[in-house]
Amino acid sequence: ELRILEQSHHLIKNECNNLINNDFQIIDIQNLAGKYTQGGIHTIKWKSYLLKAGEFVEENCQLCPETTKLLAQIPGVHLAFFSILYPKQYIKPHFGYYKGFLRYHLGVIVPAENHHLKLCWLRVNDDGETNASRDKKAIEQGEKYYWQEGEGVIFDDTLLHDAMNDSDQIRVVLWLDIERPMKRPLNWIHHGLIKLGMKHPVLKKVRENAIIR
């Protein structure tokens, strides 16, 4: 189901460029969810254009109709936004919050030289023992993935990971949190927990905070 995003990369990139070039007031990630995104890894030049958090953010989706149509075709997408990482920014090593999601990144705007200079990357350490120890220094043994425009990657964000944009240009990925497939009957419990979580008042506040002004 995710292949349609790669196949429609040009449409998604055009809408993203329109947002950036028209200087819309896109929110800083650290201001998106109150105490949940203040401090820590979020205190860098990193912005989020939110399209969906449990529910679609209608006001924002109106400026990205093609991207919204594509997302509506993909089952299990609970969170979707353009992640805009500014030049010379580093997202420190950290662990994600819930094993029930898989994370997807589509390279939307990536510096052309990244193919050979390798300045923009995601790094993941998937060693079980390392992750059990919660030793963030072990990120140095992680494997790097270098974003490319129109290319998607899926990873488990509960594993130790970090990211970097060491270029002189912005890097934008379309970021999705997708419900992890599970076997019955665990999938019923899993789906119910996510559905309940997506009704949390914090997500309503996130959607309100994210609306373009």
Side-chain angles (χ1 to χ4, degrees), residues 92-191:
K92 296 177 182 178
H94 61 287
F95 301 90
Y97 59 95
Y98 181 50
K99 200 75 173 177
F101 289 130
L102 291 173
R103 182 151 296 164
Y104 172 84
H105 284 178
L106 173 73
V108 178
I109 301 174
V110 181
E113 69 270 17
N114 203 43
H115 186 72
H116 59 278
L117 293 183
K118 302 185 183 304
L119 299 173
C120 300
W121 46 261
L122 164 73
R123 181 169 52 177
V124 182
N125 187 325
D126 65 353
D127 179 73
E129 186 175 327
T130 296
N131 280 272
S133 73
R134 312 299 280 184
D135 180 9
K136 293 182 179 179
K137 293 179 181 178
I139 193 60
E140 296 299 330
Q141 286 76 55
E143 180 181 354
K144 284 184 178 179
Y145 166 78
Y146 301 94
W147 289 291
Q148 300 298 328
E149 286 199 4
E151 182 177 282
V153 62
I154 299 175
F155 65 102
D156 181 346
D157 91 302
T158 64
L159 298 172
L160 181 63
H161 63 287
D162 63 353
M164 179 75 175
N165 178 9
D166 201 24
S167 77
D168 295 320
Q169 304 170 53
I170 62 168
R171 178 244 60 185
V172 183
V173 299
L174 179 61
W175 168 315
L176 309 183
D177 277 356
I178 306 167
E179 191 170 328
R180 183 191 291 269
M182 294 185 182
K183 294 181 179 179
R184 297 177 182 176
L186 188 58
N187 67 320
W188 298 331
I189 301 170
H190 170 50
H191 182 74

Side-chain angles (χ1 to χ4, degrees), residues 3 8 31 35 38 50 57 64-65 70 75 82-83 85 92-93 96 99 128 138 175-176 178 183 188 203 205 212-213:
R3 291 187 188 278
S8 306
N31 297 326
K35 65 180 182 180
Q38 287 176 353
L50 187 66
V57 182
C64 299
L70 292 166
F82 288 119
S83 169
L85 188 61
K92 296 177 182 178
K99 200 75 173 177
W175 168 315
L176 309 183
I178 306 167
K183 294 181 179 179
W188 298 331
L203 284 185
K205 189 64 179 176
I212 289 294
R213 307 299 178 185

Side-chain angles (χ1 to χ4, degrees), residues 8-26:
S8 306
H9 168 254
H10 62 291
L11 298 175
I12 298 170
K13 183 177 179 179
N14 285 343
E15 291 186 337
C16 185
N17 271 326
N18 181 59
L19 295 173
I20 293 167
N21 294 337
N22 282 285
D23 199 30
F24 288 106
Q25 298 301 306
I26 300 174

Side-chain angles (χ1 to χ4, degrees), residues 5-105:
L5 298 178
E6 294 188 0
Q7 294 164 357
S8 306
H9 168 254
H10 62 291
L11 298 175
I12 298 170
K13 183 177 179 179
N14 285 343
E15 291 186 337
C16 185
N17 271 326
N18 181 59
L19 295 173
I20 293 167
N21 294 337
N22 282 285
D23 199 30
F24 288 106
Q25 298 301 306
I26 300 174
I27 192 168
D28 291 334
I29 278 191
Q30 66 174 324
N31 297 326
L32 188 60
K35 65 180 182 180
Y36 297 98
T37 51
Q38 287 176 353
I41 65 170
H42 306 105
T43 55
I44 58 175
K45 293 190 68 177
W46 183 15
K47 291 182 179 289
S48 165
Y49 186 83
L50 187 66
L51 295 166
K52 187 176 186 179
E55 301 172 10
F56 281 104
V57 182
E58 293 184 8
E59 295 86 346
N60 289 0
C61 288
Q62 288 175 5
L63 295 175
C64 299
E66 296 300 329
T67 303
T68 302
K69 287 178 187 176
L70 292 166
L71 292 174
Q73 298 177 52
I74 303 171
V77 175
H78 294 278
L79 179 67
F81 64 94
F82 288 119
S83 169
I84 305 166
L85 188 61
Y86 280 71
K88 307 299 180 183
Q89 301 300 303
Y90 175 57
I91 302 173
K92 296 177 182 178
H94 61 287
F95 301 90
Y97 59 95
Y98 181 50
K99 200 75 173 177
F101 289 130
L102 291 173
R103 182 151 296 164
Y104 172 84
H105 284 178

